[in-house]
Amino acid sequence: MIFTMPATVKEILAAEAKGQEVELHAWVRSCRDSKNISFLNLNDGSCVSGIQVVVDEECRKASPAFAQTDQINGINQISNGASLRVKGRLVASQGNLQAVEIQASGIELLGAAPQDTYPLQKKRHSFEFLREISHLRGRSNSIGAVMRLRNRLSMLVHEFFQQHGFYYIHTPIITVSDAEGAGEMFRVESSGCLDEGRGGESLGEKSAEEKSTGKKRKYFFGQEAFLTVSGQMEGEVYAHSHGRVYTFGPTFRAEESNTSRHLAEFWMIEPEVAFLELDGLMDLAEALVRHLIGGTLRHCAEELELLNKWIEPELLRSLQSVTESEHFVRISYTEAIALLEGAVQGGKKFDYRVAWEDGLQTEHERWLTEEHFRQPVIVYNYPAEGKAFYMKQNEDGKTVRGMDVLVPRLGEIIGGSQREDDYEKLKARMLADGMDPEHYQWYLDLRRFGGTPHSGFGLGFERIVQYVTGMKNIRDVIPFPRAVGQAS
Amino acid sequence: MIFTMPATVKEILAAEAKGQEVELHAWVRSCRDSKNISFLNLNDGSCVSGIQVVVDEECRKASPAFAQTDQINGINQISNGASLRVKGRLVASQGNLQAVEIQASGIELLGAAPQDTYPLQKKRHSFEFLREISHLRGRSNSIGAVMRLRNRLSMLVHEFFQQHGFYYIHTPIITVSDAEGAGEMFRVESSGCLDEGRGGESLGEKSAEEKSTGKKRKYFFGQEAFLTVSGQMEGEVYAHSHGRVYTFGPTFRAEESNTSRHLAEFWMIEPEVAFLELDGLMDLAEALVRHLIGGTLRHCAEELELLNKWIEPELLRSLQSVTESEHFVRISYTEAIALLEGAVQGGKKFDYRVAWEDGLQTEHERWLTEEHFRQPVIVYNYPAEGKAFYMKQNEDGKTVRGMDVLVPRLGEIIGGSQREDDYEKLKARMLADGMDPEHYQWYLDLRRFGGTPHSGFGLGFERIVQYVTGMKNIRDVIPFPRAVGQAS
């Protein structure tokens, strides 16, 4: 069985097969009617470009769609947003934008888009407005391009890890662990159990248990369960069986921050590698970022040009500067503080004090990557204070083997660490953080049975999509953003 | 910057680069000591095979690890499950199982696995036992192989759709819609809001709103929110902008069925295609199944042989029979009932009655695919009664354009349909099902603005992993299974 699908606009434009008969399904982007001829621009979402369709008088007469008129305005329904089936022949284009256009022999209207009610007009809409019509905004040029870039970045992530011998692992979404130790998780409960404390009104069907015993189950999972904030701990489990693994899945934060930087639901990429130490981890992070940026430059030129023109004029230049740089700067946290102190002495003003104990603020990170080095910077060996319990302690007693990758224009894009692989040290840190080691015995076990030095990091997928598209609001780089007050 | 990682066992065995110096990190699968020499079998999770490491007397003396003894048993710690760093040279193997082995020059113990407490012994363990140690079971041969096959199947899914011009779309996990119309969803709420009805005891940090107004937010998302049961409806949205899209993400059912066939959290693949009708959808489904099975046969021969030997003796034969079949049988539901009625008249006994109004039971599906046709079968045009509201109604007034793909050994593996694209018919079906059309106006809008014939299906990812691995219990094909009473 040989399986093919009809050619898309992208494929037709790439093949330039003049003389070929085609059948194309697509949506109208524009329609210019003159006396003897109509010019349609059709787009099917496969690329930024539409393809020009030329409809001569003979074809117009043969196509009932051109006679069908809008009940309200009395104009024909081949208008912006309508979907068509077009038959015709590819011919050399008269214009100089594209090599081929379609000389139509038949046009069929599949679905109209009445211009008096269709929310998407030919003009540019604000992103605020587009967010209110999230079921239609994918049809706009910019959001359409962002989602194609998002697809490409997803594939580049897989390509990178598969090429380097990693296995893709689906870590669980519903969990009873808490890798970050915060109080910002979402609780999950079945409708049948959730109302336990609500006076007994039933939100759903009665459970089998309820039917037989008359008693409701308190917790579906036997205990309180939450949406994951990170697949790291489970990633560590599989790093200890499969060596090199990565996750790529949704993660959640119940943060009530209604900003352009926060989502309640976002996708994360988390590699976890056995036998890898901090230096190797920085190599891995740098190589991944280069692969993602190089790959989008190679595969998505048309989308990037559109976004460079309309969204972020520095986009192409800054992406190219990353791939052209020889290597990312790597400095220890202590060195970074020294550089910042030097800048302050030289007259640079920051809102926040520069001090080893105070940590790096966003303005400090931006100075390092945008003003001082003007390229991506990896900062490593952070103060232990305030860092997660699982980061490996350095022998200085003060710092841990954590690292952050900072990029111009966006700031932190990756955070990771070598993991504590000493059973006793890890247990002591858990106790110090108020965690119950018994609840995490499975995690401690990794240090008890065939333990290894190992490392991993997290890359927020929407962050890299923002970086590569230049989009300012994180809600515009995910198809259906979820945030406080918003789930539709 | 050129980035490479150390060679894995899989890469070393494939390259057969005799004479090369290597450094390998891996875990001990077995260790045989004799007077002047030790033979280790090391595995790093990259493949089923381990690699043999030969340690002569000189290397043993030079490697402190061989002198370190277990405190309890007084034996050396290079035992099953321990992790090692090995340096040595690749030489032609003395045995005939593999072309190369490592002649070690130095062995370093990274992490011991005390044999008195390490739960994984050299012997075979039951899957029930392995499920109790989900943080270690990836190290077993069978679960290790299943997870590598799962990785490969994930990549084959992406490869197939990308080759055919599809875009990967991340549909939301948290939703206020309900694509299946069931009462079996999980509710999601932030810890800070969830306790509203619980007497005011706070489960988390106070929200900003709570701090400023003294009042708690009732719902984080402004209304009750749930975990998605399907990305279909949102997939339809993007099919109307990007033409061909697919999802591949987690979905949830709060079913209290504690069986070997049910999970509360599982991954689904859902293509959704504009301008595609039922015939094309069946082509797409068949092509995908063939691509997945053909690809695993090509890429995972070693894993499949292992599973064929230990898990399912029919595995290889049945997978090959799918790729060798010329095409999947396609019969309408009405034809399927006629065949079953013929069988009953011929003396075949079923537990359930065969009748057009009664629907197909599992035993009927199995008879069709395992006994009658002995190959995959696609059944289409099901009775409208009992099928989802979004399936396109046929003109006979009785059936809808739904289809199921049935495979021997497992039964239904794919279910899909052409979608109702008539605004009024869809709205009428929603009302008949007790749905509020206003709540789904965005979904109806797809039929109002540039609507098209379109189709899609769902493939339960764990189902295809089960089919390809022969595993009997669905909990053994996902790294961390979630089911009623189980979330750790």
Side-chain angles (χ1 to χ4, degrees), chain B residues 88-149:
Chain B
R89 205 159 57 86
L90 286 178
V91 297
S93 180
Q94 303 301 307
N96 48 18
L97 278 174
Q98 292 173 337
V100 290
E101 61 189 26
I102 296 175
Q103 182 73 49
S105 56
I107 304 268
E108 184 187 343
L109 176 70
L110 296 173
Q115 295 303 292
D116 52 332
T117 50
Y118 187 47
L120 277 177
Q121 303 300 314
K122 279 277 298 169
K123 63 165 185 155
R124 281 188 83 195
H125 295 285
S126 73
F127 289 116
E128 289 75 17
F129 172 74
L130 290 174
R131 258 170 251 144
E132 288 167 17
I133 48 167
S134 61
H135 64 301
L136 300 173
R137 69 175 183 164
R139 307 178 186 191
S140 72
N141 275 330
S142 50
I143 300 291
V146 167
M147 296 311 161
R148 281 190 299 274
L149 272 160

Side-chain angles (χ1 to χ4, degrees), chain A residues 6 46 83 167 174 244 451 482, chain B residues 6 46 83 167 174 244 451 482:
Chain A
S46 63
S83 66
Y167 289 104
I174 297 171
R244 301 171 195 171
R482 267 70 180 112
Chain B
S46 63
S83 66
Y167 290 104
I174 297 170
R244 302 172 193 170
R482 267 70 180 113

Side-chain angles (χ1 to χ4, degrees), chain A residues 340 348-354 360-368 371:
Chain A
L340 285 156
K348 173 78 192 171
K349 297 262 179 286
F350 291 113
D351 291 339
Y352 289 86
R353 187 176 73 140
V354 173
L360 293 177
Q361 301 295 327
T362 303
E363 59 175 341
H364 304 146
E365 293 177 346
R366 292 192 72 146
W367 179 83
L368 285 169
E371 292 186 48

Side-chain angles (χ1 to χ4, degrees), chain A residues 240-452:
Chain A
H240 282 78
S241 60
H242 288 70
R244 301 171 195 171
V245 300
Y246 67 107
T247 73
F248 185 2
T251 50
F252 304 84
R253 298 282 155 88
E255 264 187 90
E256 304 215 5
S257 310
N258 202 347
T259 78
S260 63
R261 292 169 52 91
H262 290 92
L263 288 172
E265 172 181 320
F266 52 96
W267 286 65
M268 283 256 280
I269 294 139
E270 298 181 277
E272 195 68 39
V273 194
F275 312 111
L276 191 75
E277 305 194 24
L278 184 61
D279 280 341
L281 185 71
M282 292 193 276
D283 293 344
L284 184 74
E286 178 173 343
L288 173 62
V289 171
R290 285 174 181 281
H291 185 83
L292 297 180
I293 293 174
T296 45
L297 284 168
R298 227 171 20 253
H299 291 287
C300 301
E302 199 190 20
E303 281 80 8
L304 291 176
E305 270 162 39
L306 178 91
L307 297 165
N308 193 75
K309 185 172 171 189
W310 295 106
I311 306 294
E312 168 57 66
E314 287 297 300
L315 186 64
L316 278 169
R317 201 198 54 72
S318 74
L319 295 179
Q320 278 152 0
S321 81
V322 171
T323 56
E324 285 160 10
S325 67
E326 225 165 292
H327 57 79
F328 293 1
V329 172
R330 295 183 193 183
I331 53 169
S332 72
Y333 174 84
T334 303
E335 288 164 342
I337 292 293
L339 283 175
L340 285 156
E341 283 170 344
V344 169
Q345 281 157 22
K348 173 78 192 171
K349 297 262 179 286
F350 291 113
D351 291 339
Y352 289 86
R353 187 176 73 140
V354 173
W356 199 91
E357 315 78 58
D358 287 9
L360 293 177
Q361 301 295 327
T362 303
E363 59 175 341
H364 304 146
E365 293 177 346
R366 292 192 72 146
W367 179 83
L368 285 169
T369 184
E370 290 175 9
E371 292 186 48
H372 187 70
F373 291 112
R374 296 169 168 270
Q375 65 168 88
V377 177
I378 308 183
V379 181
Y380 61 93
N381 281 353
Y382 278 85
E385 179 86 21
K387 283 287 181 186
F389 71 94
Y390 50 71
M391 292 194 182
K392 187 169 178 66
Q393 296 165 43
N394 277 314
E395 284 169 11
D396 61 14
K398 295 190 303 182
T399 61
V400 289
R401 295 198 190 169
M403 66 98 189
D404 284 351
V405 180
L406 314 174
V407 292
R409 221 165 26 81
L410 199 77
E412 185 199 321
I413 200 160
I414 282 179
S417 69
Q418 186 169 341
R419 315 308 190 186
E420 185 57 78
D421 53 352
D422 182 296
Y423 186 94
E424 294 302 336
K425 282 186 186 169
L426 181 63
K427 194 170 170 180
R429 267 303 304 266
M430 285 176 143
L431 286 167
D433 275 15
M435 296 167 72
D436 176 8
E438 231 172 88
H439 191 61
Y440 294 96
Q441 187 56 51
W442 60 274
Y443 185 67
L444 284 161
D445 272 0
L446 303 177
R447 283 74 180 167
R448 199 154 68 113
F449 303 125
T452 74

